[in-house]
Amino acid sequence: MPELPEVETIAKDLRKMIAGLTIAEVKVDYGKIVGTDLAGFAPSLTGRTIGDVGRIGKWLKMDLDSGFTLLAHLKMTGQFVLEEKPGALASQWPAHARVGFKLVGEGVEKTLFYLDIRKFGRLRVFDQESLTNYLDFLALGPDPLNLNSDRFHKIITSKKGRLKQILLDQTLVSGLGNIYADESLFAASLSPNRTTDSLTKLETAHLLAKIQAILTEAIEFRGSTVENYRALDGPGSFQDRHQVYGKSGKPCPKCGQILVKIRIGGRGTVHCPACQT
Ligand SMILES: [Zn+2]
């Protein structure tokens, strides 16, 4: 599932490649992705010009000139692909394309396809009021890149549980998933099994510094391409820098002991029992 660096990369690519274009036509091939208001989805977007594209946690946020906002969550296998050849919306769609947007500008016609193999992704259009209500409902925690160590310590220790599970709770901190939680805990030498009430301020400050450094570096490398993630302008390469994620049974890069995979809250977690305490 795309996490903060992957969604940030997709947002950057979308901003570069489609901001300023107008949505001329929308076709939906699989209604569940656009929610209950299938009939209202295309009309609420058609004729609107795309403004800024950003990110809230793992959600993509596309502003439209009408004051409306398109939110997209890619879940397991969602992907945006841009077809530069005119007429693509009316031609054969790419495999697993579920929604298509014909975009036009001065002398330009492109088609943005939303692809989703497993079809868990979500695209939703909101006016300003319903966007506020929906974000209240999601109750996303702050972005880890915008946190200071005092606030992070308060948030992390506000809920009892194992550290790994707490880091994945999007209502506490939004944007981290399995890859960056495992990598950050390894970098901070903290066991994913630690209970949050045992953490000192020094430990949480160290962890936040590692989370921020890893996320920033991962954004520079366009995210991690494991399974099917790929941004519009190409895949990521941060997977080549992973220290522990996907490496159970291999030697720890710090101490040489074998990395072990355990399950915490139903999620596979790779760690070094010797280094991470
Ligand atoms: Zn180790």
Side-chain angles (χ1 to χ4, degrees):
M1 181 190 287
E3 303 179 26
L4 186 155
E6 290 78 36
V7 179
E8 182 73 29
T9 304
I10 296 165
K12 275 186 185 169
D13 283 0
L14 284 169
R15 200 179 303 142
K16 187 174 73 181
M17 297 162 93
I18 68 163
L21 297 180
T22 298
I23 303 170
E25 194 182 348
V26 180
K27 281 188 180 172
V28 178
D29 178 66
Y30 186 75
K32 210 176 154 204
I33 282 172
V34 304
T36 48
D37 186 20
L38 180 57
F41 184 77
S44 64
L45 293 168
T46 307
R48 303 304 178 194
T49 298
I50 298 163
D52 194 24
V53 185
R55 176 186 63 76
I56 307 172
K58 297 183 199 171
W59 289 82
L60 276 166
K61 178 175 175 285
M62 203 184 287
D63 294 329
L64 304 169
D65 65 347
S66 54
F68 282 30
T69 299
L70 176 68
L71 285 189
H73 199 300
L74 308 174
K75 297 284 180 177
M76 302 294 288
T77 55
Q79 236 180 3
F80 280 106
V81 168
L82 193 64
E83 176 57 68
E84 307 265 355
K85 209 168 60 197
L89 192 72
S91 311
Q92 174 86 38
W93 284 22
H96 312 296
R98 311 299 179 191
V99 184
F101 307 82
K102 179 173 156 185
L103 307 175
V104 296
E106 239 176 90
V108 183
E109 186 199 316
K110 301 179 181 184
T111 306
L112 182 70
F113 286 108
Y114 175 73
L115 278 53
D116 201 334
I117 296 170
R118 297 186 64 182
K119 302 190 274 198
F120 291 132
R122 294 291 173 259
L123 305 181
R124 297 283 187 275
V125 189
F126 298 94
D127 61 22
Q128 281 171 353
E129 192 189 340
S130 61
L131 178 67
T132 306
N133 293 339
Y134 192 65
L135 291 176
D136 284 349
F137 160 73
L138 291 174
L140 297 173
D143 198 283
L145 292 175
N146 299 331
L147 273 174
N148 65 36
S149 54
D150 280 346
R151 181 130 188 257
F152 183 67
H153 183 79
K154 277 198 193 103
I155 289 170
I156 287 299
T157 55
S158 69
K159 194 164 169 183
K160 270 196 181 174
R162 292 201 223 170
L163 182 52
K164 165 73 183 280
Q165 210 170 352
I166 294 296
L167 288 179
L168 296 184
D169 185 337
Q170 301 298 300
T171 66
L172 297 175
V173 177
S174 64
L176 290 175
N178 227 17
I179 296 175
Y180 299 101
D182 281 8
E183 290 295 319
S184 301
L185 287 169
F186 176 74
S189 302
L190 286 172
S191 166
N193 269 320
R194 280 282 292 274
T195 53
T196 49
D197 55 7
S198 74
L199 292 165
T200 66
K201 271 197 150 176
L202 203 64
E203 285 174 324
T204 55
H206 187 52
L207 175 59
L208 178 65
K210 294 297 182 188
I211 289 171
Q212 291 177 335
I214 287 171
L215 292 175
T216 303
E217 196 187 348
I219 291 168
E220 276 169 38
F221 285 85
R222 299 181 54 79
S224 303
T225 292
V226 292
E227 295 168 15
N228 83 326
Y229 157 74
R230 175 183 175 90
L232 285 84
D233 210 9
S237 61
F238 192 70
Q239 67 279 7
D240 300 337
R241 297 177 163 251
H242 289 173
Q243 302 291 298
V244 292
Y245 179 82
K247 296 188 188 294
S248 70
K250 297 200 169 130
C252 166
K254 287 183 193 164
C255 75
Q257 286 211 34
I258 296 301
L259 297 172
V260 175
K261 186 170 187 174
I262 55 173
R263 290 195 89 76
I264 296 180
R267 306 296 301 274
T269 300
V270 181
H271 71 129
C272 173
C275 292
Q276 294 176 249
T277 55

